[in-house]
């Protein structure tokens, strides 16, 4: 079981926290930086890099829209109350984190938590991360597989070193990124980075992970987490 799948308790001394309000916004506390970034394509049309677009002024506490209808995105403007937004959390105890699909390669092992896919599409370049993992004794394939896994914002794709058994994770500062993908006109989820605790409306902490994505379109069937519904046209 990787670090991403271990059940963790909310750190008592960490002021940074995201609380899911009942049928309302995400309440963010602790001066969490919030940034807007775009997914950028390479010359062949594959998702390849991130570009910072703007950084919002820091606030001790702020509310982020999760109904998808605020006129002041990414912040809440109270529209959820006017439209009777149903934000019932359905992720429960996150059972999909227990049994990932596992692809074993000669040097790398890929854990694929398919339910977490948000269609960021970093995994498709150079034949796809699944094939690259199976060819991980080739240095270029190994490096590309690691790059693609680390760019996966939701943590669907987790790469482990076969020799050490340790997950290879990107070093991410604690922050929230508003994801945009201009080539397809998609407004993606909120990318929560660096292990910021997310707490349900009932006060129960979700698994703390280095990478996770929260729904901000209101359509996910795995609330509060993104399930890729924003990309379904």
């Amino acid at each position: 079981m990787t670090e991403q799948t271990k059940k963790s308790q909310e750190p008592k001394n960490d002021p940074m926290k995201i609380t899911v309000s009942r049928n309302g916004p995400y309440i963010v506390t602790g001066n969490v930086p919030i940034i807007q970034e775009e997914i950028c394509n390479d010359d062949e049309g594959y998702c390849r890099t991130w570009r910072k677009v703007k950084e919002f002024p820091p606030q001790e506490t702020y509310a982020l829209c999760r109904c998808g209808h605020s006129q002041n995105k990414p912040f809440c403007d109270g529209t959820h109350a006017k439209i009777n937004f149903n934000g019932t959390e359905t992720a429960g105890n996150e059972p999909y984190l227990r049994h990932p699909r596992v692809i074993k390669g000669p040097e790398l092992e890929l854990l694929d938590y398919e339910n977490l896919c948000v269609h960021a599409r970093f995994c498709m370049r150079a034949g796809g991360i699944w094939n690259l993992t199976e060819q991980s004794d080739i240095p270029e394939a190994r490096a590309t597989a690691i790059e693609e896994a680390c760019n996966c914002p939701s943590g669907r794709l987790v790469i482990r070193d076969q020799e050490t058994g340790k997950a290879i994770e990107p070093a991410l500062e604690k922050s929230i990124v508003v994801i945009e993908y201009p080539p397809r006109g998609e407004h993606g989820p909120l990318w929560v980075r660096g292990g910021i605790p997310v707490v349900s409306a009932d006060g129960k902490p979700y698994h703390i992970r280095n990478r996770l994505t929260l729904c901000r379109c209101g359509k996910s069937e795995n609330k509060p987490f993104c399930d890729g519904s924003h990309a379904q046209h």
Side-chain angles (χ1 to χ4, degrees):
M1 184 176 291
T2 67
E3 293 179 4
Q4 287 72 31
T5 62
K6 292 178 181 177
K7 186 173 183 179
S8 305
Q9 296 299 315
E10 179 185 342
K12 295 181 179 179
N13 297 325
D14 190 345
M16 292 189 178
K17 183 171 68 173
I18 301 170
T19 302
V20 183
S21 65
R22 198 175 304 279
N23 298 324
Y26 302 108
I27 307 300
V28 184
T29 56
N31 278 307
V32 179
I34 180 167
I35 305 158
Q36 182 176 316
E37 294 193 8
E38 292 179 349
I39 297 172
C40 301
N41 290 350
D42 62 16
D43 292 339
E44 296 180 337
Y46 289 106
C47 298
R48 183 69 178 267
T49 58
W50 294 92
R51 183 176 76 89
K52 181 186 288 189
V53 177
K54 67 184 294 186
E55 190 161 350
F56 296 89
Q59 299 180 54
E60 170 61 34
T61 302
Y62 53 88
L64 296 178
C65 173
R66 74 181 182 106
C67 74
H69 293 277
S70 171
Q71 298 301 307
N72 188 35
K73 296 182 183 71
F75 302 102
C76 172
D77 67 355
T79 300
H80 60 275
K82 300 175 184 177
I83 64 172
N84 295 316
F85 170 61
N86 182 359
T88 302
E89 295 167 74
T90 52
N93 60 1
E94 302 169 90
Y96 39 79
L97 294 180
R98 299 175 192 164
H99 304 290
R101 175 188 173 199
V102 179
I103 293 88
K104 292 183 178 292
E107 293 193 10
L108 298 175
E109 181 178 74
L110 175 66
L111 281 68
D112 184 352
Y113 301 89
E114 295 182 57
N115 293 70
L116 298 179
C117 185
V118 299
H119 305 299
R121 304 179 182 89
F122 285 99
C123 57
M124 301 170 69
R125 182 169 55 87
I129 192 170
W130 302 270
N131 291 328
L132 292 167
T133 298
E134 294 176 342
Q135 301 167 17
S136 54
D137 53 342
I138 303 172
E140 184 177 358
R142 173 188 169 91
T144 303
I146 292 172
E147 178 185 335
E148 292 186 2
C150 289
N151 269 326
C152 174
S154 69
R156 168 191 171 173
L157 302 169
V158 177
I159 283 281
R160 286 200 304 213
D161 185 281
Q162 283 276 41
E163 184 176 351
T164 65
K166 293 183 179 180
I168 302 173
E169 277 289 310
L172 299 171
E173 67 165 335
K174 291 188 176 185
S175 55
I176 297 174
V177 172
V178 180
I179 297 176
E180 301 287 349
Y181 185 27
R184 292 178 65 97
E186 292 175 1
H187 305 290
L190 298 171
W191 179 15
V192 180
R193 310 191 298 186
I196 300 173
V198 178
V199 181
S200 73
D202 292 330
K204 297 177 181 178
Y206 288 100
H207 289 77
I208 294 175
R209 294 186 282 126
N210 186 39
R211 298 170 282 152
L212 63 84
T213 45
L214 296 174
C215 172
R216 71 178 180 111
C217 71
K219 300 175 183 178
S220 173
E221 294 184 2
N222 189 38
K223 294 183 180 67
F225 304 107
C226 174
D227 69 354
S229 291
H230 62 276
Q232 305 301 319
H233 298 298

